[in-house]
Amino acid sequence: MFHFKIILLISMLLCPCLLKAQDEAAPLIERLPSAKGTERIDLMNEISVVYRKTDRYKAMDFARQAFDLSVKNNYPPGKALAMKNQGICWFFIGNNDSAILCYKQALEIFTRIGDEKGMSACYNNLGLISQETGKYDEALKFYKRSIEMDTKLNDQIGIAQTKDNMVSIYIYQGDAKSALKLTNESIKIYNDLSYKPGLLTCYINRGSEFAYLNQYNNSIRDFVLALNMAIELKDKYMEKMANSNLGYTYWSMKKPEIAMKYLNIALEMSDESDDAFTIDKTLTTMAEIFTSQKEYTKSIEILQKLLKRNEDSENLRQASAVMTLIGRNLIELNEMDKAVGYLSKSLQITVKIKARYEMLENYRNLAHAHAILHNFSAADSLQDLFAETYSQLYNTDSISNIRKAKILHEERINPSKSTTSDWIIAFSLMVIAMMLSVIVFRGNEKGI
């Protein structure tokens, strides 16, 4: 059974992101008309980095221009960086296959020109895709390759940031203690270097890990530390994240009034800056609160807004995750045909982008809906797919058939009543939260 608190952990594992892209890009764009040759290529790559969190298509456009100019000017470093930047854009859009192709091409160029920092970045980014698709052993191998190169370069910040990425794997596997150990190692590195942005990231992550361990007071302490440090550094993005995470934690402590106070602060700050990520994350948390209070219609209203935002931006991963939770809420409202429609569409997307975590949840929910509709053959097939995917994700030979038999038996004898336990909705929410989590950024060199 999945642990409910995974929702909290994945949604709150956040790392430094770029500030408002338009403000940062303006002075760089002003320099473009006078820039020539490799200077122009480097500028375009830098602009791509600035835009990639708020406007992925602008980021992609500048990366492609940088790539074309690099080919024309026979400039391998610019070509490799442009290819890596395109890979990052593809990753956020939800096209993992294209992202992998770009990263591998960038890695080949970085290797050829002996750019070990670029190679480290590509290994890190390939690790993130392996992690997202549930290939944890493969992800750890990529991360270790990245750390090996950063160690050789004595890039202590790079080492710490890759460890921050590895934290998510231990959280996915329910091992918060190992995650906490890695985070404390990163904190030591950042403290030794007096690197406050890294400490800010770690306070966010450690607060999430403490929440998993039911140490809510420690969790609140770290999020308050993060909030104060974000204000000191004038990092509005992380200030919003700290407020959002405080809201999430107070909700987990069953203090919805305090939770809503922090969530509304985060949402207001996000509206002011048009920060799509924080808006999505905060609205998701609000939807979770309504779902937990069995106010499914209110939750669906919020999720429909999220779905439109994600469809407009063509973010397949997040759109799929939102569809899954809408489907789950519709099951609770006994609107099975609509639920099957949303869940089936979500499943099609997850299969396309090879996102096995989301596939797992869709198999489970669709099996449940079909059993309620007395489509027992379809339900059996979907349960088998669930078991197969579960065993692949968690390295186990089988899943308990008792749960499967119990679910189908209860639906056969009482088809009008949903037998969903709270943990199923929790897992649905975890899927969205996982899609909304920000992965470690390492400036122009590492990327995601």
Side-chain angles (χ1 to χ4, degrees), residues 33 65 78 110 134 232 234 288 293 295 297 316 321 337 425 432 441:
Q65 290 184 58
F110 283 132
E232 176 191 346
K234 298 181 179 179
E288 293 177 32
Q293 295 173 339
E295 296 187 52
T297 301
L316 295 178
D337 290 335
I425 289 184
I432 292 183
F441 278 78

Side-chain angles (χ1 to χ4, degrees), residues 142-208:
F142 281 128
Y143 287 148
K144 288 175 182 177
R145 289 292 300 276
S146 181
I147 289 176
E148 286 172 5
M149 293 190 166
D150 285 338
T151 301
K152 185 177 178 180
L153 295 167
N154 196 28
D155 182 357
Q156 293 299 309
I157 291 178
I159 292 169
Q161 289 177 328
T162 299
K163 286 183 177 180
D164 291 340
N165 280 354
M166 295 169 69
V167 162
S168 296
I169 292 180
Y170 292 112
I171 294 302
Y172 290 143
Q173 295 176 332
D175 188 356
K177 291 183 178 179
S178 293
L180 188 59
K181 179 176 180 293
L182 276 181
T183 299
N184 285 331
E185 290 174 1
S186 293
I187 287 175
K188 184 179 185 306
I189 292 174
Y190 294 137
N191 269 324
D192 290 345
L193 296 172
S194 299
Y195 186 64
K196 288 187 177 181
L199 285 171
L200 177 53
T201 296
C202 286
Y203 288 143
I204 291 288
N205 285 354
R206 193 171 66 179
S208 306

Side-chain angles (χ1 to χ4, degrees), residues 42-60:
D42 291 340
L43 265 177
M44 286 182 169
N45 273 320
E46 193 173 351
I47 294 169
S48 175
V49 170
V50 171
Y51 272 126
R52 69 186 176 206
K53 274 307 292 174
T54 57
D55 193 329
R56 293 153 191 155
Y57 295 97
K58 278 189 179 179
M60 180 75 80

Side-chain angles (χ1 to χ4, degrees), residues 16 86 163 204 315 336 429:
Q86 289 182 58
K163 286 183 177 180
I204 291 288
N315 190 323
M336 295 304 157
L429 297 168

